Amino acid sequence: MQHDPISSCDLLRIEPEDRPRGKHTLRTQRLQRWLKDRDVPHVDRFVFLDFAADVGTRGVLADLQKSLLRVLPDREFLRVELHAAVVDHRRRVDGVRMRSEILRAKWWLPFLPQSRMDRLHIHEVSRLDEWLKYLHGRDILYPRSQDYIEFAGKWDSEVPLTALKATFSKLEGVVAELSL
């Protein structure tokens, strides 16, 4: 499922349906002013995260999401990207590793774009990150059963392998959908 990116110009043209000094208008205008001050051709989760970092409040993206969902053109890509940014920004403010930070490691390159990972819970992303980091640290391209056993050995349990298997199953479903 390919997404059409939304240009900054599309967001700059949005007219809030709120009163001139209403909260939805003010939130939308704040983003529009921010976009005007930067040369950003397309908007995605990283642009929203940069905006949130500049504003510096925990709820800025959640509030913006409420306001934009009222007036957004029917652009599923933007809704998905905004939601991902809201979740990541909350994690950043709470001092927890963001999904986008985890997925920046070079061992995640085959799994990009990041939107493919949105269906995975953050715990699944973290577990898969540990596995990929383990493989990368040992220069293993094609893991054998012994590699899985050694990986799970530090927990002295089969639970990490079961969780990893469930994550792989989810990823196979995402790949199957993308190929349709």
Side-chain angles (χ1 to χ4, degrees), residues 22 24 28 35 79 98 109 113 136 149 155:
H24 299 297
T28 304
L35 287 171
R79 292 174 197 273
M98 297 186 311
L109 287 176
H136 181 76
I149 293 168
W155 290 280

Side-chain angles (χ1 to χ4, degrees), residues 57-116:
T57 62
R58 185 179 200 278
V60 66
L61 288 181
D63 290 342
L64 180 65
Q65 183 180 34
K66 290 175 198 166
S67 297
L68 285 181
L69 288 179
R70 297 164 48 106
V71 296
L72 274 176
D74 188 26
R75 302 293 286 271
E76 186 63 21
F77 171 76
L78 187 62
R79 292 174 197 273
V80 167
E81 293 295 294
L82 182 53
H83 177 73
V86 167
V87 173
D88 249 9
H89 180 63
R90 284 184 185 146
R91 293 181 66 77
R92 173 174 47 200
V93 171
D94 293 345
V96 180
R97 273 180 78 197
M98 297 186 311
R99 177 186 301 264
S100 57
E101 287 177 330
I102 293 169
L103 299 178
R104 284 190 184 137
K106 57 184 158 190
W107 48 82
W108 282 98
L109 287 176
F111 296 97
L112 296 179
Q114 288 196 16
S115 59
R116 290 183 180 177

Side-chain angles (χ1 to χ4, degrees), residues 90-166:
R90 284 184 185 146
R91 293 181 66 77
R92 173 174 47 200
V93 171
D94 293 345
V96 180
R97 273 180 78 197
M98 297 186 311
R99 177 186 301 264
S100 57
E101 287 177 330
I102 293 169
L103 299 178
R104 284 190 184 137
K106 57 184 158 190
W107 48 82
W108 282 98
L109 287 176
F111 296 97
L112 296 179
Q114 288 196 16
S115 59
R116 290 183 180 177
M117 298 295 112
D118 287 345
R119 292 200 184 148
L120 297 181
H121 188 276
I122 191 66
H123 298 297
E124 293 170 317
V125 171
S126 295
R127 176 73 69 197
L128 188 55
D129 185 58
E130 288 181 47
W131 170 244
L132 294 173
K133 186 177 182 178
Y134 173 85
L135 294 176
H136 181 76
R138 288 161 180 74
D139 291 325
I140 299 170
L141 294 177
Y142 302 102
R144 298 167 295 138
S145 54
Q146 185 62 34
D147 298 319
Y148 288 97
I149 293 168
E150 287 175 14
F151 173 73
K154 68 180 177 181
W155 290 280
D156 199 27
S157 169
E158 74 280 352
V159 173
L161 294 179
T162 306
L164 204 54
K165 181 180 176 188

